Structure formats: structure tokens, C-alpha cells
Amino acid sequence: MNFHNQIPIYLQIAEHIGEQILTQRWKPDDKIPSIRELAVQLEVNPNTVQRTYDFLQTQEVIFTKRGLGYFVAPNGEQNYLNWRKETFVQNELPIFFKQIRLLKMSFEELEKRFYEYETI
């Protein structure tokens, strides 16, 4: 996994986990890798993965079963989507809107390009 400098690594790992959930690789109640396993896979410090798991637990995306490990929460997919949508609206959408305004792009042009992108 390649990490970006602008976003904390633990949040990038949270996005990676969210992608696994959204693509149905990890379904509700599926066991996910342990902290150590994921740290080895991603070549990061286990404390970083612990921080990610703590964060995702507060977002109710994953939960822990004592002695058994971490699992995808029953509503984990929807909770992840809610968090990501809010993050997108707060952080990325204003930049996007600024760019389309500066580039004088119409909604029609955006819609056309959106549908072209969907077919790729």
C-alpha cells in the first residue's frame, strides 16, 4: 500500500479497510486481520493499525469479540459510507467546487464527463 503525505496513515488504512467492506471482500460479521497481521501486510507499525481499529470501532464499522479478534460490524458498510461521505463533503468537495468554478465548467459538461468516466 502506498501512503500519501497529506492524510494520516491511520486514516488511509481505515479507507483501505472500508474498500474491503464496500467491495464485499469483508462482509458483516466477517473476521478481519489481527492488528499484527495487518501491520505486517501493510508494512506499518502495529500501533498505527491499533489506532485505525480504535477509530473504526468509534465509527461502528468494526467491533471486537474478546479473545477472538475484530469483525465487520452488522451495519459496518453503512457506517463507513456515512463517515466517508461526510469526510468527502467536508474536505474534498469544496476543493472540487473551487476547481470547476475556476475552470468555468458547467454542470452539463460535468454530467457528460461523469457518464463517460462510468463507462471506463
Side-chain angles (χ1 to χ4, degrees), residues 10-109:
Y10 83 97
L11 291 178
Q12 293 179 60
I13 296 169
E15 289 178 5
H16 168 75
I17 291 169
E19 287 176 17
Q20 305 309 305
I21 294 169
L22 293 178
T23 59
Q24 301 294 305
R25 286 191 180 122
W26 298 346
K27 296 179 172 90
D29 295 314
D30 277 359
K31 188 174 188 325
I32 65 174
S34 71
I35 291 169
R36 288 192 199 287
E37 289 171 331
L38 193 58
V40 168
Q41 283 177 9
L42 301 178
E43 299 177 358
V44 297
N45 189 305
N47 291 332
T48 305
V49 177
Q50 177 68 58
R51 187 171 181 195
T52 301
Y53 281 16
D54 290 344
F55 173 77
L56 290 173
Q57 282 185 321
T58 63
Q59 299 299 317
E60 298 180 356
V61 174
I62 64 172
F63 69 98
T64 185
K65 290 183 185 177
R66 188 176 173 145
L68 297 177
Y70 292 91
F71 296 80
V72 177
N75 293 324
E77 180 178 357
Q78 187 59 52
N79 293 339
Y80 176 75
L81 277 173
N82 293 342
W83 170 68
R84 276 299 293 137
K85 283 180 185 179
E86 186 58 32
T87 302
F88 177 76
V89 167
Q90 294 286 325
N91 301 327
E92 298 169 45
L93 201 53
I95 295 166
F96 174 75
F97 284 150
K98 179 181 178 183
Q99 289 300 312
I100 63 171
R101 194 174 326 117
L102 289 172
L103 297 172
K104 298 178 182 5
M105 294 180 76
S106 68
F107 284 110
E108 292 78 19
E109 183 178 357

